[in-house]
């Protein structure tokens, strides 16, 4: 039913022209007569003065039947007409699982089917009896609430321990050896087995962490320095020996490389120097001193170089040279 569904999410559902169903909630309270705590409750009441259409019930009709709001309002109007006719004929109407709406003379009265306590029990809320000590505390709390204005104006003094009570405590402690003074000390009950197990677990954790964490035996200094600080610390206290004079280095006499001429008898040209070196290793038995002359993009193998082009032309034209390098040509290195 629409009214029951809406009361789960709203505190007031108005039936236009009839009245409004209202949720009334009561907080949990202490019953001094039964010495028990009563759970929070909720009950539905009816108010026949609220008859103005707020659109909530009509919107629920339209949403459930999948129709426009105007059609939903018209469907609601028809149901309300049937409700008023039933009240006029029978005198009462059952409103779903909520209760009975009856007409008494000129007014409408609503009687819920389930009292508030039964509704709370359906939700799992039941009354809870309390022990004698808790009841005494609740009674004292209730009494303090009644005299709250007077008690608020009177300062409460802290409890004091007299000399006789202190001597009695000391004598009792000396006699039994196990008495604990709860007036001056806090007492927390801890099981001995639990305390021993906890201490053992903490010891195992401490030993495990000490073995797993890295340990360093060098004491590092956190200082800014270009030279490593450890080296400075180690050498600061040490006695430094006099630096021996450096021994004179013996260098071999430099061998002057043969001078390269301007003109070269090029016998091979490669794109990489590695290919040129491989070619020279293959032609070691040619009888000529093959050299590599590199440019930006090429590595040329030169057999002879000279500053005189004509003399170099005569050499590469000889039968002996042509027999070894028939594709030789003259290249100007400058």
């Amino acid at each position: 039913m629409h009214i029951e569904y809406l009361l789960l999410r709203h505190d007031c559902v108005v039936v236009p022209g009839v009245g409004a169903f209202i949720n009334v909630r009561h907080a949990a309270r202490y019953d001094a007569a039964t010495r028990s705590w009563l759970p929070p409750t909720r009950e539905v009441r009816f108010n026949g003065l609220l008859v103005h259409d707020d659109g909530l019930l009509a919107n629920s009709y339209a949403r459930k039947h999948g129709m426009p709001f105007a059609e939903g309002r018209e469907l609601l109007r028809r149901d309300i007409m049937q409700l008023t006719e039933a009240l006029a004929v029978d005198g009462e109407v059952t409103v779903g699982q909520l209760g009975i709406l009856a007409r008494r003379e000129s007014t409408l009265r609503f009687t819920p089917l389930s009292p508030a306590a039964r509704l709370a029990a359906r939700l799992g809320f039941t009354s809870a009896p309390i022990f004698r000590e808790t009841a005494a505390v609740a009674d004292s709390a209730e009494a303090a609430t009644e005299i709250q204005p007077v008690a608020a104006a009177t300062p409460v003094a802290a409890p004091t321990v007299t000399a006789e009570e202190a001597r009695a405590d000391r004598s009792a402690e000396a006699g039994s050896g196990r008495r604990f003074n709860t007036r001056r000390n806090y007492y927390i009950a801890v099981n001995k087995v639990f305390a021993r197990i906890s201490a053992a677990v903490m010891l195992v954790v401490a030993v495990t962490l000490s073995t797993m964490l890295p340990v360093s035996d060098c004491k590092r200094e956190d200082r800014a320095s270009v030279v490593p600080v450890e080296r400075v610390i180690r050498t600061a206290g040490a006695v430094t020996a006099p630096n021996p004079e450096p021994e004179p280095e013996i260098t071999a006499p430099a061998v002057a490389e043969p001078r390269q001429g301007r003109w070269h008898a090029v016998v091979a040209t490669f794109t990489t120097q590695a290919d040129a070196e491989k070619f020279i290793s293959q032609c070691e038995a040619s009888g000529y001193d093959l050299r590599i002359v590199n440019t930006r993009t090429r590595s040329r193998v030169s057999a002879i170089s000279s500053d005189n082009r004509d003399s170099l032309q005569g050499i590469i034209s000889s039968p002996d040279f042509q027999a070894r390098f028939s594709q030789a040509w003259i290249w100007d290195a400058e």
Side-chain angles (χ1 to χ4, degrees):
M1 190 175 182
H2 293 276
I3 299 176
E4 297 177 51
Y5 174 79
L6 293 175
L7 283 176
L8 295 176
R9 293 162 176 80
H10 302 274
D11 292 334
C12 180
V13 178
V14 179
V15 180
V18 178
F21 293 89
I22 303 172
N23 269 327
V24 179
R25 293 180 173 85
H26 302 283
R29 60 186 181 87
Y30 172 72
D31 188 2
T34 60
R35 294 185 178 276
S36 61
W37 285 100
L38 301 181
T41 57
R42 180 182 70 91
E43 61 177 336
V44 179
R45 295 182 181 179
F46 180 77
N47 189 345
L49 300 178
L50 300 176
V51 296
H52 179 70
D53 186 9
D54 58 355
L56 180 63
L57 195 56
N59 188 28
S60 178
Y61 268 75
R63 185 172 60 253
K64 180 179 180 180
H65 297 285
M67 58 179 60
F69 178 77
E71 297 181 6
R73 175 171 284 179
E74 179 63 23
L75 183 60
L76 172 62
R77 189 185 64 82
R78 296 175 185 174
D79 289 347
I80 293 175
M81 289 181 60
Q82 296 178 2
L83 176 65
T84 54
E85 291 176 359
L87 285 173
V89 175
D90 299 332
E92 62 180 19
V93 174
T94 302
V95 184
Q97 300 293 331
L98 297 178
I100 298 174
L101 186 65
R103 181 178 293 278
R104 297 293 183 266
E105 296 179 357
S106 61
T107 60
L108 293 176
R109 297 182 180 274
F110 176 74
T111 304
L113 293 178
S114 298
R118 186 178 299 177
L119 290 177
R122 290 180 181 177
L123 296 176
F125 298 140
T126 58
S127 60
I130 58 178
F131 296 102
R132 182 180 302 175
E133 294 80 1
T134 312
V137 173
D139 293 339
S140 62
E142 185 176 359
T145 305
E146 294 177 357
I147 60 173
Q148 183 177 4
V150 179
T154 305
V156 180
T160 58
V161 180
T162 61
E164 291 77 7
E165 292 177 349
R167 284 195 297 270
D169 292 338
R170 287 195 296 269
S171 61
E173 291 175 359
S176 61
R178 301 183 62 182
R179 184 176 178 84
F180 189 82
N181 188 359
T182 57
R183 291 190 180 92
R184 294 178 297 178
N185 304 289
Y186 291 103
Y187 175 75
I188 302 176
V190 179
N191 188 278
K192 291 184 179 180
V193 177
F194 175 75
R196 292 173 183 173
I197 294 176
S198 302
V201 171
M202 293 177 63
L203 180 60
V204 172
V205 171
V207 173
T208 305
L209 291 178
S210 63
T211 55
M212 293 178 61
L213 295 177
V215 179
S216 177
D217 58 350
C218 61
K219 299 179 180 179
R220 299 182 177 272
E221 296 288 338
D222 188 10
R223 301 173 184 174
S225 174
V226 178
V227 182
V229 178
E230 290 83 359
R231 185 181 303 172
V232 175
I233 294 175
R234 287 196 299 267
T235 58
V239 179
T240 57
N243 296 329
E245 296 182 359
E247 297 181 359
E249 297 181 357
I250 301 175
T251 57
V255 178
E257 295 183 357
R259 179 180 177 275
Q260 297 288 338
R262 172 181 176 181
W263 304 94
H264 292 267
V266 178
V267 296
T269 303
F270 301 94
T271 56
T272 61
Q273 185 174 351
D275 294 338
E277 292 176 351
K278 184 178 180 181
F279 176 80
I280 292 175
S281 62
Q282 293 174 356
C283 300
E284 291 180 352
S286 62
Y288 291 90
D289 186 13
L290 302 179
R291 295 177 178 274
I292 300 175
V293 181
N294 291 319
T295 61
R296 292 182 179 179
T297 58
R298 296 289 185 270
S299 293
R300 293 183 171 88
V301 179
S302 172
I304 304 173
S305 64
S306 175
D307 291 333
N308 190 339
R309 188 181 188 283
D310 296 337
S311 62
L312 190 60
Q313 182 66 40
I315 294 174
I316 66 174
S317 300
S318 62
D320 180 66
F321 193 88
Q322 287 293 323
R324 290 176 172 81
F325 306 107
S326 59
Q327 301 295 329
W329 56 283
I330 297 175
W331 173 60
D332 186 2
E334 295 182 0

